[in-house]
Amino acid sequence: MRKKRIAIIGAGISGLTTARILKAKGYSPVIFEKESKPGGLIRCSEEEGNLFHHVGGIVFNTKIDKIKTWFQEQFDFENEFIPARRNAKILYNDQYIGYPVENYLYQLPDGFYGKIIKELALNVLNSNHVSNFEDFLRKKFGETLFELYFRPYNEKIWNFDLKMMPLSWLEGKLPMPDFKEIVISNLLKRPEKKMVHSTFFYPRKGGSSFIADRLAEGTEIVFNTAIDQIKKSGDQWSVQGDQFDAVVYTGDVRKLAQLLNNVPDGITGCSEKVTDLPSNGTSNVLCYTDDSDLSWLYIPGQEYRCHRIVYTGNMSPANNSKERKTCLVEFSGNAERETINEQLRSLPGNLEPIAYNRESSSYVIQLQDTRERIGTLKSQLELLDFYLVGRFAEWEYYNMDMAMLSAMNVCDHF
């Protein structure tokens, strides 16, 4: 029997994982990638000898056993990764507050603690159902904590009406308040250990590009190739003039209406219904910074345009070329260099810019009916051996481990 040829669109973490699993199962995957190197959102570059995560500071952690097992099998894990404990803080009025904020209420200025605890207690008794992101934050954490941290931070990062965002798509990604745990944490003043990223693993060299490069090994990847048409041809698919038995698409689902050719009218109609899905881009700058022990610093204050600093220089010594450490400052949307540089002068750490990157689409945003629209499109495409996988194809806010799980699930179809 001939091996099935499968075209995979996109060499991000979803496409690379899919290809690696399918190849191990005996198939012949070919990845088409518009850039000159693999990685997608997890790609890095070297700037003045320093590692630059182009989009956020990507680390690996998961509570899904089969993801952890599979991932570790791809590496000499003990020698190629560094285990780390998350040390995240919130910058509030030039003071560092522990993260998550609800477990460090005792660090807030006088007057906040008692008021917030009272609101949290009332919310435990009043367990009203909520369906949108804003109501969740407001009703679960209380008005004071909502206004102090959750509203300003999330409005900055999402740049979208929080009431328009359904709670369902953020399930598993949000801090779920546990009143008993909050009270105990504040009384005993103990560090947070339950969050999924309270500990994580980070490559000794190369950052998340090291992960992408390893997963790409042994896979046929056609680089510098932007797909302009995917055509149904009998029982096969035509991609870049070649024939394939199936397609795994990890690109932007909003572009499918332009790409698909010779498909049933129902699929055309479904693909046209997802062209208006909203997303947010990011503007990142790699900087030299003063030494610290931080891993993340969240910045809710409206006096700052940026929303967080990721201290990637603390994640591995190989990330830094000089005695000064490096960090990544992230802005939601398109921030001009003049704005970025002005902000850097007011942020802590005596920041000195090294390199800049702007990503047109980093954060996907769901509306109330997004999952229904995507689900209908997925089900119709799968009848034709065409599969949507990953953050932008499924329009789900996947971290690395969930993108891998999506890839694993689609591989079960083969």
Side-chain angles (χ1 to χ4, degrees), residues 278-330:
S279 67
N280 238 353
T282 49
S283 301
N284 292 321
V285 54
L286 176 69
C287 298
Y288 290 116
T289 183
D290 292 344
D291 199 11
S292 77
D293 61 354
L294 294 175
S295 48
W296 281 268
L297 181 64
Y298 298 99
I299 307 172
Q302 295 300 301
E303 67 270 27
Y304 297 106
R305 168 76 188 278
C306 62
H307 59 271
R308 69 176 176 179
I309 301 176
V310 187
Y311 292 87
T312 51
N314 286 339
M315 295 176 183
S316 171
N319 288 358
N320 310 295
S321 67
K322 298 181 178 180
E323 290 185 3
R324 292 198 79 196
K325 295 283 187 70
T326 53
C327 68
L328 183 75
V329 183
E330 183 169 286

Side-chain angles (χ1 to χ4, degrees), residues 206-393:
S208 48
S209 270
F210 169 78
I211 296 172
D213 291 341
R214 175 62 57 82
L215 297 183
E217 288 179 0
T219 296
E220 182 180 350
I221 305 179
V222 183
F223 290 110
N224 301 307
T225 303
I227 303 300
D228 55 14
Q229 186 183 91
I230 305 172
K231 183 178 181 180
K232 189 69 172 117
S233 180
D235 62 350
Q236 291 193 311
W237 289 94
S238 177
V239 181
Q240 295 301 107
D242 205 350
Q243 301 300 306
F244 295 90
D245 300 292
V247 174
V248 174
Y249 183 81
T250 73
D252 191 328
V253 71
R254 298 174 297 186
K255 298 179 180 179
L256 273 184
Q258 306 169 26
L259 298 178
L260 292 176
N261 188 271
N262 199 32
V263 295
D265 291 342
I267 290 178
T268 301
C270 287
S271 62
E272 289 174 346
K273 289 181 180 179
V274 300
T275 58
D276 62 344
L277 295 177
S279 67
N280 238 353
T282 49
S283 301
N284 292 321
V285 54
L286 176 69
C287 298
Y288 290 116
T289 183
D290 292 344
D291 199 11
S292 77
D293 61 354
L294 294 175
S295 48
W296 281 268
L297 181 64
Y298 298 99
I299 307 172
Q302 295 300 301
E303 67 270 27
Y304 297 106
R305 168 76 188 278
C306 62
H307 59 271
R308 69 176 176 179
I309 301 176
V310 187
Y311 292 87
T312 51
N314 286 339
M315 295 176 183
S316 171
N319 288 358
N320 310 295
S321 67
K322 298 181 178 180
E323 290 185 3
R324 292 198 79 196
K325 295 283 187 70
T326 53
C327 68
L328 183 75
V329 183
E330 183 169 286
F331 298 75
S332 184
N334 296 328
E336 300 298 330
R337 285 197 185 187
E338 182 178 344
T339 300
I340 292 174
N341 292 338
E342 181 181 345
Q343 291 271 289
L344 296 183
R345 289 190 286 270
S346 62
L347 287 165
N350 295 307
L351 303 179
E352 178 186 347
I354 303 170
Y356 304 81
N357 180 67
R358 179 178 293 173
E359 205 71 28
S360 61
S361 188
S362 309
Y363 295 102
V364 300
I365 298 173
Q366 284 199 4
L367 305 175
Q368 294 291 343
D369 65 342
T370 298
R371 281 186 170 172
E372 180 182 354
R373 285 192 266 172
I374 294 290
T376 302
L377 177 61
K378 283 180 68 173
S379 62
Q380 294 202 29
L381 285 170
E382 287 176 6
L383 296 174
L384 301 179
D385 293 318
F386 192 110
Y387 303 91
L388 303 181
V389 179
R391 176 182 289 203
F392 295 107

Side-chain angles (χ1 to χ4, degrees), residues 14 120 164 272:
S14 301
L120 285 167
M164 296 288 291
E272 289 174 346

Side-chain angles (χ1 to χ4, degrees), residues 114-174:
K115 188 175 183 180
I116 292 171
I117 287 293
K118 181 179 179 180
E119 290 176 354
L120 285 167
L122 289 173
N123 288 343
V124 169
L125 297 174
N126 182 18
S127 56
N128 290 334
H129 174 73
V130 294
S131 60
N132 67 71
F133 192 21
E134 179 176 318
D135 286 350
F136 166 81
L137 295 173
R138 189 187 298 274
K139 293 181 180 180
K140 293 298 181 182
F141 290 100
E143 192 70 27
T144 301
L145 207 49
F146 174 75
E147 291 296 339
L148 184 146
Y149 174 74
F150 288 105
R151 181 189 60 77
Y153 182 77
N154 283 285
E155 284 182 350
K156 275 207 291 187
I157 191 172
W158 298 109
N159 194 25
F160 199 78
D161 185 351
L162 303 183
K163 277 190 172 293
M164 296 288 291
M165 299 166 64
L167 180 62
S168 57
W169 78 286
L170 290 167
E171 187 176 357
K173 306 175 185 69
L174 293 172

